[in-house]
Short mmCIF file of all heavy atoms in Angstrom, two decimals:
data_model
loop_
_atom_site.label_atom_id
_atom_site.label_comp_id
_atom_site.label_asym_id
_atom_site.label_seq_id
_atom_site.Cartn_x
_atom_site.Cartn_y
_atom_site.Cartn_z
N SER A 1 50.79 90.55 121.92
CA SER A 1 50.98 89.56 121.05
C SER A 1 52.39 89.07 121.09
O SER A 1 53.35 89.68 121.59
CB SER A 1 50.64 90.02 119.63
OG SER A 1 51.61 90.87 119.12
N LEU A 2 52.74 87.93 120.45
CA LEU A 2 53.98 87.33 120.37
C LEU A 2 54.91 88.25 119.60
O LEU A 2 56.13 88.34 119.90
CB LEU A 2 53.99 85.92 119.76
CG LEU A 2 53.42 84.89 120.72
CD1 LEU A 2 53.38 83.56 119.91
CD2 LEU A 2 54.13 84.68 121.90
N ALA A 3 54.53 88.83 118.47
CA ALA A 3 55.38 89.72 117.73
C ALA A 3 55.79 90.98 118.45
O ALA A 3 56.96 91.33 118.38
CB ALA A 3 54.54 90.15 116.42
N ARG A 4 54.85 91.50 119.34
CA ARG A 4 55.40 92.66 120.11
C ARG A 4 56.30 92.22 121.21
O ARG A 4 57.35 93.01 121.51
CB ARG A 4 54.13 93.35 120.87
CG ARG A 4 53.38 94.25 119.91
CD ARG A 4 52.26 94.93 120.72
NE ARG A 4 51.17 93.89 120.61
CZ ARG A 4 49.95 94.16 120.97
NH1 ARG A 4 49.51 95.34 121.33
NH2 ARG A 4 49.09 93.30 120.83
N ALA A 5 56.06 91.06 121.73
CA ALA A 5 57.08 90.52 122.77
C ALA A 5 58.41 90.25 122.10
O ALA A 5 59.45 90.55 122.64
CB ALA A 5 56.55 89.21 123.37
N ALA A 6 58.45 89.68 120.99
CA ALA A 6 59.64 89.56 120.22
C ALA A 6 60.33 90.85 119.89
O ALA A 6 61.61 90.96 119.99
CB ALA A 6 59.41 88.77 118.90
N LEU A 7 59.57 91.82 119.52
CA LEU A 7 60.14 93.22 119.28
C LEU A 7 60.76 93.74 120.46
O LEU A 7 61.92 94.17 120.42
CB LEU A 7 59.12 94.08 118.73
CG LEU A 7 59.64 95.58 118.42
CD1 LEU A 7 60.61 95.54 117.41
CD2 LEU A 7 58.40 96.41 118.01
N ALA A 8 60.18 93.54 121.61
CA ALA A 8 60.71 94.08 122.91
C ALA A 8 62.09 93.36 123.20
O ALA A 8 63.00 94.01 123.60
CB ALA A 8 59.79 93.91 124.04
N VAL A 9 62.13 92.16 123.06
CA VAL A 9 63.34 91.38 123.33
C VAL A 9 64.48 91.77 122.27
O VAL A 9 65.56 92.07 122.77
CB VAL A 9 63.11 89.89 123.13
CG1 VAL A 9 64.48 89.08 123.15
CG2 VAL A 9 62.27 89.41 124.34
N ARG A 10 64.19 91.90 121.03
CA ARG A 10 65.13 92.29 120.10
C ARG A 10 65.61 93.81 120.30
O ARG A 10 66.79 94.06 120.22
CB ARG A 10 64.55 92.23 118.58
CG ARG A 10 64.40 90.82 118.23
CD ARG A 10 63.89 90.61 116.85
NE ARG A 10 63.84 89.24 116.46
CZ ARG A 10 63.28 88.75 115.39
NH1 ARG A 10 62.48 89.45 114.69
NH2 ARG A 10 63.42 87.47 115.12
N ARG A 11 64.69 94.64 120.68
CA ARG A 11 65.18 95.99 121.07
C ARG A 11 66.08 95.98 122.19
O ARG A 11 67.01 96.92 122.33
CB ARG A 11 63.97 96.88 121.28
CG ARG A 11 63.32 97.41 120.14
CD ARG A 11 62.25 98.40 120.42
NE ARG A 11 61.76 99.05 119.13
CZ ARG A 11 60.65 99.52 118.91
NH1 ARG A 11 59.71 99.52 119.92
NH2 ARG A 11 60.40 100.19 117.80
N ALA A 12 65.95 95.08 123.12
CA ALA A 12 66.78 95.03 124.27
C ALA A 12 68.21 94.38 124.03
O ALA A 12 69.14 94.77 124.67
CB ALA A 12 66.12 94.20 125.44
N LEU A 13 68.20 93.54 122.96
CA LEU A 13 69.45 92.77 122.74
C LEU A 13 70.21 93.27 121.52
O LEU A 13 71.48 93.04 121.39
CB LEU A 13 69.13 91.25 122.56
CG LEU A 13 68.44 90.64 123.85
CD1 LEU A 13 68.15 89.11 123.39
CD2 LEU A 13 69.45 90.64 124.97
N LEU A 14 69.55 93.89 120.53
CA LEU A 14 70.20 94.20 119.22
C LEU A 14 70.46 95.66 119.16
O LEU A 14 69.76 96.44 119.71
CB LEU A 14 69.33 93.75 118.09
CG LEU A 14 69.02 92.28 117.98
CD1 LEU A 14 68.01 91.99 116.98
CD2 LEU A 14 70.31 91.52 117.86
N PRO A 15 71.40 96.01 118.31
CA PRO A 15 71.55 97.48 118.08
C PRO A 15 70.30 98.06 117.34
O PRO A 15 69.63 97.29 116.62
CB PRO A 15 72.76 97.55 117.17
CG PRO A 15 72.95 96.14 116.70
CD PRO A 15 72.32 95.26 117.62
N PRO A 16 70.11 99.35 117.42
CA PRO A 16 68.85 100.00 116.92
C PRO A 16 68.74 99.86 115.39
O PRO A 16 67.62 100.09 114.84
CB PRO A 16 68.91 101.45 117.39
CG PRO A 16 70.31 101.65 117.67
CD PRO A 16 70.91 100.36 118.09
N ASP A 17 69.86 99.55 114.61
CA ASP A 17 69.73 99.47 113.22
C ASP A 17 69.73 98.01 112.61
O ASP A 17 69.96 97.80 111.48
CB ASP A 17 70.82 100.30 112.53
CG ASP A 17 72.25 99.68 112.94
OD1 ASP A 17 72.33 98.92 113.88
OD2 ASP A 17 73.20 100.05 112.24
N HIS A 18 69.49 97.15 113.53
CA HIS A 18 69.56 95.68 113.18
C HIS A 18 68.36 95.28 112.21
O HIS A 18 67.12 95.62 112.48
CB HIS A 18 69.46 94.76 114.45
CG HIS A 18 70.04 93.36 114.17
ND1 HIS A 18 69.13 92.40 113.49
CD2 HIS A 18 71.19 92.91 114.31
CE1 HIS A 18 69.92 91.28 113.40
NE2 HIS A 18 71.11 91.58 113.87
N PRO A 19 68.61 94.57 111.22
CA PRO A 19 67.51 94.20 110.24
C PRO A 19 66.39 93.44 110.85
O PRO A 19 65.17 93.57 110.38
CB PRO A 19 68.27 93.50 109.10
CG PRO A 19 69.51 93.24 109.58
CD PRO A 19 69.92 94.08 110.74
N ASP A 20 66.70 92.72 111.91
CA ASP A 20 65.65 91.88 112.52
C ASP A 20 64.50 92.82 113.16
O ASP A 20 63.40 92.45 113.23
CB ASP A 20 66.12 90.87 113.65
CG ASP A 20 66.87 89.74 113.06
OD1 ASP A 20 66.77 89.51 111.76
OD2 ASP A 20 67.57 88.92 113.69
N LEU A 21 64.99 93.91 113.63
CA LEU A 21 64.12 94.87 114.21
C LEU A 21 63.10 95.39 113.10
O LEU A 21 61.86 95.52 113.36
CB LEU A 21 64.70 96.09 114.84
CG LEU A 21 65.61 95.82 115.97
CD1 LEU A 21 66.34 97.08 116.51
CD2 LEU A 21 64.81 95.19 117.19
N ALA A 22 63.64 95.68 111.92
CA ALA A 22 62.79 96.11 110.84
C ALA A 22 61.89 95.09 110.44
O ALA A 22 60.63 95.33 110.16
CB ALA A 22 63.63 96.56 109.61
N ALA A 23 62.29 93.88 110.32
CA ALA A 23 61.51 92.70 109.99
C ALA A 23 60.30 92.61 111.06
O ALA A 23 59.10 92.29 110.55
CB ALA A 23 62.36 91.46 109.92
N ASN A 24 60.52 92.70 112.29
CA ASN A 24 59.55 92.51 113.30
C ASN A 24 58.58 93.69 113.08
O ASN A 24 57.28 93.47 113.25
CB ASN A 24 60.22 92.63 114.74
CG ASN A 24 59.58 91.64 115.77
OD1 ASN A 24 60.13 91.55 116.77
ND2 ASN A 24 58.49 91.25 115.48
N LEU A 25 59.00 94.93 113.00
CA LEU A 25 58.15 96.02 112.74
C LEU A 25 57.20 95.87 111.53
O LEU A 25 56.07 96.18 111.62
CB LEU A 25 58.90 97.37 112.64
CG LEU A 25 59.48 97.81 113.95
CD1 LEU A 25 60.63 98.79 113.59
CD2 LEU A 25 58.45 98.39 114.91
N ARG A 26 57.76 95.27 110.55
CA ARG A 26 57.01 95.02 109.28
C ARG A 26 55.96 93.99 109.64
O ARG A 26 54.77 94.13 109.07
CB ARG A 26 57.98 94.57 108.28
CG ARG A 26 57.28 94.41 106.86
CD ARG A 26 58.27 93.91 105.84
NE ARG A 26 57.88 94.33 104.54
CZ ARG A 26 57.22 93.57 103.63
NH1 ARG A 26 56.92 92.39 104.02
NH2 ARG A 26 56.88 93.95 102.43
N GLN A 27 56.24 92.89 110.39
CA GLN A 27 55.26 91.96 110.78
C GLN A 27 54.05 92.53 111.58
O GLN A 27 52.94 92.19 111.27
CB GLN A 27 55.89 90.82 111.53
CG GLN A 27 56.89 89.86 110.75
CD GLN A 27 57.72 89.04 111.66
OE1 GLN A 27 57.84 89.30 112.86
NE2 GLN A 27 58.37 88.02 111.09
N LEU A 28 54.44 93.32 112.54
CA LEU A 28 53.37 94.03 113.26
C LEU A 28 52.63 94.95 112.31
O LEU A 28 51.33 95.09 112.67
CB LEU A 28 54.09 94.83 114.43
CG LEU A 28 54.62 94.05 115.59
CD1 LEU A 28 55.39 94.87 116.53
CD2 LEU A 28 53.49 93.38 116.35
N SER A 29 53.14 95.59 111.41
CA SER A 29 52.43 96.41 110.47
C SER A 29 51.43 95.58 109.71
O SER A 29 50.21 95.92 109.53
CB SER A 29 53.39 97.09 109.46
OG SER A 29 52.66 97.87 108.59
N GLY A 30 51.81 94.42 109.16
CA GLY A 30 50.93 93.53 108.59
C GLY A 30 49.75 93.08 109.39
O GLY A 30 48.62 92.95 109.01
N LEU A 31 50.02 92.79 110.66
CA LEU A 31 49.00 92.42 111.61
C LEU A 31 47.94 93.53 111.87
O LEU A 31 46.77 93.40 111.91
CB LEU A 31 49.60 92.06 113.01
CG LEU A 31 48.71 91.49 114.03
CD1 LEU A 31 47.90 90.29 113.59
CD2 LEU A 31 49.47 91.14 115.27
N ALA A 32 48.55 94.83 111.93
CA ALA A 32 47.62 95.88 112.05
C ALA A 32 46.73 96.19 110.82
O ALA A 32 45.67 96.47 110.93
CB ALA A 32 48.52 97.17 112.29
N VAL A 33 47.33 95.88 109.62
CA VAL A 33 46.49 95.95 108.35
C VAL A 33 45.43 94.88 108.42
O VAL A 33 44.19 95.21 108.25
CB VAL A 33 47.36 95.72 107.11
CG1 VAL A 33 46.48 95.42 105.84
CG2 VAL A 33 48.19 96.87 106.84
N TYR A 34 45.74 93.69 108.96
CA TYR A 34 44.82 92.74 108.92
C TYR A 34 43.57 92.95 109.97
O TYR A 34 42.49 92.64 109.65
CB TYR A 34 45.45 91.39 109.34
CG TYR A 34 44.58 90.15 109.63
CD1 TYR A 34 44.03 89.50 108.57
CD2 TYR A 34 44.15 89.77 110.93
CE1 TYR A 34 43.17 88.41 108.70
CE2 TYR A 34 43.28 88.70 111.08
CZ TYR A 34 42.82 88.09 110.02
OH TYR A 34 42.03 87.03 110.14
N ARG A 35 44.00 93.67 110.97
CA ARG A 35 43.09 93.97 112.00
C ARG A 35 42.25 95.36 111.58
O ARG A 35 41.30 95.80 112.34
CB ARG A 35 43.67 94.24 113.32
CG ARG A 35 44.16 92.99 113.92
CD ARG A 35 44.64 93.27 115.34
NE ARG A 35 45.09 91.95 115.91
CZ ARG A 35 45.89 91.86 117.04
NH1 ARG A 35 46.23 92.89 117.65
NH2 ARG A 35 46.11 90.69 117.50
N GLY A 36 42.67 95.96 110.44
CA GLY A 36 42.00 97.21 110.04
C GLY A 36 42.48 98.41 110.66
O GLY A 36 41.94 99.39 110.40
N ASP A 37 43.64 98.37 111.45
CA ASP A 37 44.09 99.57 112.04
C ASP A 37 45.20 100.17 111.14
O ASP A 37 46.43 100.01 111.30
CB ASP A 37 44.66 99.15 113.41
CG ASP A 37 45.13 100.43 114.17
OD1 ASP A 37 45.16 101.51 113.70
OD2 ASP A 37 45.58 100.28 115.38
N LEU A 38 44.81 100.88 110.13
CA LEU A 38 45.78 101.34 109.03
C LEU A 38 46.61 102.44 109.51
O LEU A 38 47.73 102.53 109.17
CB LEU A 38 44.94 101.77 107.81
CG LEU A 38 44.13 100.79 107.11
CD1 LEU A 38 43.35 101.41 105.87
CD2 LEU A 38 44.87 99.62 106.80
N SER A 39 46.17 103.22 110.58
CA SER A 39 46.94 104.21 111.07
C SER A 39 48.20 103.57 111.81
O SER A 39 49.36 104.11 111.63
CB SER A 39 46.19 105.12 112.00
OG SER A 39 47.00 106.09 112.68
N ARG A 40 47.99 102.64 112.72
CA ARG A 40 49.01 101.89 113.38
C ARG A 40 49.95 101.25 112.33
O ARG A 40 51.15 101.15 112.50
CB ARG A 40 48.40 100.92 114.28
CG ARG A 40 49.39 100.05 115.02
CD ARG A 40 49.82 100.74 116.29
NE ARG A 40 50.66 99.98 117.01
CZ ARG A 40 51.95 100.40 117.58
NH1 ARG A 40 52.22 101.56 117.40
NH2 ARG A 40 52.57 99.44 118.16
N ALA A 41 49.34 100.58 111.22
CA ALA A 41 50.13 99.87 110.22
C ALA A 41 51.11 100.90 109.70
O ALA A 41 52.23 100.62 109.39
CB ALA A 41 49.21 99.26 109.21
N ASP A 42 50.52 102.08 109.35
CA ASP A 42 51.46 103.14 108.65
C ASP A 42 52.58 103.52 109.61
O ASP A 42 53.74 103.52 109.16
CB ASP A 42 50.57 104.33 108.39
CG ASP A 42 51.43 105.37 107.72
OD1 ASP A 42 51.56 105.44 106.47
OD2 ASP A 42 51.85 106.37 108.49
N SER A 43 52.35 103.75 110.85
CA SER A 43 53.47 104.20 111.69
C SER A 43 54.48 103.01 112.01
O SER A 43 55.61 103.27 112.05
CB SER A 43 52.89 104.69 113.06
OG SER A 43 52.27 103.62 113.81
N LEU A 44 54.00 101.76 112.04
CA LEU A 44 54.89 100.67 112.18
C LEU A 44 55.76 100.48 110.97
O LEU A 44 56.99 100.15 111.10
CB LEU A 44 54.14 99.44 112.49
CG LEU A 44 53.53 99.32 113.89
CD1 LEU A 44 52.45 98.19 113.98
CD2 LEU A 44 54.66 99.08 115.00
N MET A 45 55.16 100.58 109.79
CA MET A 45 56.02 100.50 108.56
C MET A 45 56.92 101.55 108.50
O MET A 45 58.14 101.43 108.02
CB MET A 45 55.11 100.44 107.36
CG MET A 45 55.88 100.15 106.01
SD MET A 45 56.78 98.66 106.11
CE MET A 45 55.57 97.38 106.12
N ARG A 46 56.59 102.77 108.80
CA ARG A 46 57.54 103.88 108.74
C ARG A 46 58.66 103.68 109.78
O ARG A 46 59.92 103.99 109.46
CB ARG A 46 56.84 105.28 109.13
CG ARG A 46 55.99 105.60 107.92
CD ARG A 46 55.22 106.97 108.28
NE ARG A 46 54.24 107.31 107.25
CZ ARG A 46 54.50 107.85 106.10
NH1 ARG A 46 55.74 108.19 105.78
NH2 ARG A 46 53.50 108.06 105.26
N ALA A 47 58.44 103.10 110.97
CA ALA A 47 59.47 102.80 111.82
C ALA A 47 60.40 101.66 111.31
O ALA A 47 61.58 101.73 111.42
CB ALA A 47 58.80 102.28 113.14
N ALA A 48 59.87 100.74 110.57
CA ALA A 48 60.72 99.65 109.86
C ALA A 48 61.59 100.32 108.80
O ALA A 48 62.75 99.95 108.80
CB ALA A 48 59.73 98.66 109.25
N LEU A 49 61.02 101.28 108.11
CA LEU A 49 61.88 101.86 107.14
C LEU A 49 62.97 102.78 107.80
O LEU A 49 64.12 102.77 107.28
CB LEU A 49 61.02 102.83 106.19
CG LEU A 49 60.20 102.07 105.15
CD1 LEU A 49 59.11 103.00 104.58
CD2 LEU A 49 61.09 101.53 104.08
N ALA A 50 62.65 103.39 108.91
CA ALA A 50 63.69 104.15 109.53
C ALA A 50 64.86 103.32 110.05
O ALA A 50 66.03 103.67 109.97
CB ALA A 50 63.06 105.00 110.77
N VAL A 51 64.47 102.08 110.55
CA VAL A 51 65.55 101.16 111.00
C VAL A 51 66.39 100.76 109.83
O VAL A 51 67.64 100.75 109.89
CB VAL A 51 64.88 99.87 111.70
CG1 VAL A 51 65.92 98.86 111.90
CG2 VAL A 51 64.23 100.29 113.01
N ARG A 52 65.72 100.36 108.64
CA ARG A 52 66.56 100.02 107.49
C ARG A 52 67.46 101.20 107.02
O ARG A 52 68.59 100.88 106.78
CB ARG A 52 65.56 99.58 106.34
CG ARG A 52 64.91 98.29 106.59
CD ARG A 52 64.38 97.64 105.38
NE ARG A 52 63.38 96.61 105.66
CZ ARG A 52 63.68 95.39 106.10
NH1 ARG A 52 64.90 95.10 106.18
NH2 ARG A 52 62.74 94.55 106.35
N ARG A 53 66.97 102.31 107.04
CA ARG A 53 67.68 103.55 106.51
C ARG A 53 68.81 103.78 107.52
O ARG A 53 70.07 104.10 107.15
CB ARG A 53 66.88 104.74 106.43
CG ARG A 53 66.00 104.63 105.09
CD ARG A 53 65.07 105.77 105.00
NE ARG A 53 64.34 105.63 103.90
CZ ARG A 53 63.23 106.12 103.66
NH1 ARG A 53 62.48 106.68 104.68
NH2 ARG A 53 62.54 106.06 102.44
N MET A 54 68.64 103.63 108.80
CA MET A 54 69.65 103.81 109.86
C MET A 54 70.77 102.82 109.61
O MET A 54 71.95 103.26 109.86
CB MET A 54 69.00 103.58 111.23
CG MET A 54 69.71 104.26 112.39
SD MET A 54 68.98 104.04 114.03
CE MET A 54 67.37 103.43 113.83
N GLY A 55 70.42 101.63 109.16
CA GLY A 55 71.40 100.62 108.95
C GLY A 55 72.04 100.71 107.56
O GLY A 55 72.87 99.82 107.19
N GLY A 56 71.84 101.80 106.95
CA GLY A 56 72.54 101.93 105.56
C GLY A 56 72.02 101.09 104.56
O GLY A 56 72.65 100.96 103.42
N ARG A 57 70.78 100.68 104.68
CA ARG A 57 70.09 99.86 103.65
C ARG A 57 68.97 100.52 103.06
O ARG A 57 67.94 99.91 102.69
CB ARG A 57 69.63 98.52 104.31
CG ARG A 57 70.75 97.63 104.86
CD ARG A 57 70.19 96.43 105.67
NE ARG A 57 69.59 96.88 106.95
CZ ARG A 57 70.19 97.14 108.03
NH1 ARG A 57 71.49 97.07 108.05
NH2 ARG A 57 69.57 97.44 109.06
N ALA A 58 69.18 101.82 102.71
CA ALA A 58 68.11 102.58 102.04
C ALA A 58 67.73 102.13 100.66
O ALA A 58 66.68 102.51 100.21
CB ALA A 58 68.52 104.07 102.11
N ASP A 59 68.61 101.49 99.99
CA ASP A 59 68.30 101.12 98.62
C ASP A 59 68.27 99.60 98.29
O ASP A 59 68.46 99.20 97.24
CB ASP A 59 69.22 101.92 97.65
CG ASP A 59 70.65 101.55 97.88
OD1 ASP A 59 71.01 100.83 98.93
OD2 ASP A 59 71.58 101.97 97.10
N ASP A 60 68.12 98.85 99.32
CA ASP A 60 68.11 97.38 99.14
C ASP A 60 66.77 96.86 98.87
O ASP A 60 65.77 97.59 99.00
CB ASP A 60 68.84 96.56 100.25
CG ASP A 60 67.93 96.47 101.52
OD1 ASP A 60 66.78 97.00 101.51
OD2 ASP A 60 68.49 95.91 102.54
N SER A 61 66.65 95.67 98.30
CA SER A 61 65.27 95.16 97.94
C SER A 61 64.32 95.04 99.07
O SER A 61 63.18 95.24 98.77
CB SER A 61 65.51 93.73 97.23
OG SER A 61 66.03 92.89 98.20
N LEU A 62 64.75 94.81 100.26
CA LEU A 62 63.85 94.72 101.41
C LEU A 62 63.19 96.12 101.64
O LEU A 62 62.02 96.21 101.98
CB LEU A 62 64.43 94.23 102.64
CG LEU A 62 64.83 92.69 102.67
CD1 LEU A 62 65.57 92.38 103.80
CD2 LEU A 62 63.61 91.80 102.44
N THR A 63 64.02 97.13 101.61
CA THR A 63 63.56 98.54 101.81
C THR A 63 62.63 98.94 100.63
O THR A 63 61.55 99.56 100.93
CB THR A 63 64.78 99.46 101.85
OG1 THR A 63 65.63 99.07 102.82
CG2 THR A 63 64.25 100.91 102.10
N VAL A 64 62.85 98.50 99.46
CA VAL A 64 61.92 98.78 98.35
C VAL A 64 60.64 98.16 98.53
O VAL A 64 59.55 98.73 98.49
CB VAL A 64 62.60 98.51 97.01
CG1 VAL A 64 61.60 98.58 95.83
CG2 VAL A 64 63.80 99.29 96.76
N GLY A 65 60.73 96.83 99.08
CA GLY A 65 59.46 96.21 99.34
C GLY A 65 58.67 96.82 100.42
O GLY A 65 57.47 96.86 100.32
N ASP A 66 59.39 97.34 101.47
CA ASP A 66 58.64 98.04 102.47
C ASP A 66 58.04 99.38 102.04
O ASP A 66 56.95 99.72 102.46
CB ASP A 66 59.65 98.36 103.62
CG ASP A 66 60.01 97.06 104.58
OD1 ASP A 66 59.35 96.01 104.26
OD2 ASP A 66 60.83 97.21 105.40
N LEU A 67 58.75 100.04 101.14
CA LEU A 67 58.12 101.25 100.57
C LEU A 67 56.89 100.94 99.79
O LEU A 67 55.88 101.62 99.85
CB LEU A 67 59.11 101.95 99.65
CG LEU A 67 60.28 102.71 100.37
CD1 LEU A 67 61.39 103.19 99.41
CD2 LEU A 67 59.63 103.97 101.12
N LEU A 68 56.92 99.84 99.04
CA LEU A 68 55.74 99.44 98.21
C LEU A 68 54.61 99.11 99.21
O LEU A 68 53.43 99.36 98.91
CB LEU A 68 56.07 98.23 97.32
CG LEU A 68 57.01 98.61 96.15
CD1 LEU A 68 57.43 97.35 95.51
CD2 LEU A 68 56.26 99.43 95.16
N THR A 69 54.91 98.38 100.28
CA THR A 69 53.87 97.99 101.30
C THR A 69 53.28 99.19 101.94
O THR A 69 52.02 99.36 102.11
CB THR A 69 54.45 97.12 102.43
OG1 THR A 69 54.96 95.91 101.73
CG2 THR A 69 53.47 96.72 103.31
N LEU A 70 54.18 100.19 102.30
CA LEU A 70 53.68 101.46 102.87
C LEU A 70 52.72 102.16 101.89
O LEU A 70 51.73 102.75 102.20
CB LEU A 70 54.86 102.35 103.21
CG LEU A 70 54.60 103.64 103.91
CD1 LEU A 70 53.84 103.40 105.20
CD2 LEU A 70 55.85 104.49 104.11
N GLY A 71 53.06 102.19 100.63
CA GLY A 71 52.21 102.81 99.66
C GLY A 71 50.86 102.27 99.56
O GLY A 71 49.89 102.84 99.09
N SER A 72 50.70 100.87 99.90
CA SER A 72 49.45 100.24 99.91
C SER A 72 48.59 100.31 101.13
O SER A 72 47.41 99.84 101.27
CB SER A 72 49.58 98.75 99.48
OG SER A 72 50.24 98.00 100.54
N VAL A 73 49.20 100.88 102.28
CA VAL A 73 48.60 100.96 103.55
C VAL A 73 47.61 102.07 103.48
O VAL A 73 47.70 103.16 103.04
CB VAL A 73 49.55 101.10 104.65
CG1 VAL A 73 48.80 101.46 106.01
CG2 VAL A 73 50.32 99.90 104.81
#
């Protein structure tokens, strides 16, 4: 998919704690939910949270939103 291709490009060009990586992982998680692959959605959202935490954004509003999303997966 295009989102996976975008993630691959971003991983190649950006530092591992860049917020765009977390956003891309979150998008892929949403796509996995839409497709009914909740296990994949869970792992992608956890990866997005790890990126946000690595970047020192453990308590910002996007991280809180991701935590809420993870709770609904």
Side-chain angles (χ1 to χ4, degrees):
S1 77
L2 290 175
R4 275 184 283 195
L7 178 62
V9 169
R10 287 179 173 166
R11 280 189 167 148
L13 298 175
L14 299 173
D17 64 343
H18 199 282
D20 286 350
L21 294 176
N24 217 166
L25 288 161
R26 186 174 206 267
Q27 291 168 344
L28 286 170
S29 176
L31 183 59
V33 168
Y34 177 76
R35 291 183 175 170
D37 189 351
L38 300 183
S39 176
R40 179 86 174 131
D42 180 83
S43 66
L44 288 164
M45 187 53 71
R46 288 179 189 279
L49 284 166
V51 170
R52 291 199 194 283
R53 288 178 175 145
M54 201 181 346
R57 293 175 295 277
D59 60 353
D60 72 3
S61 62
L62 292 173
T63 303
V64 171
D66 286 352
L67 283 167
L68 290 170
T69 300
L70 180 61
S72 69
V73 171

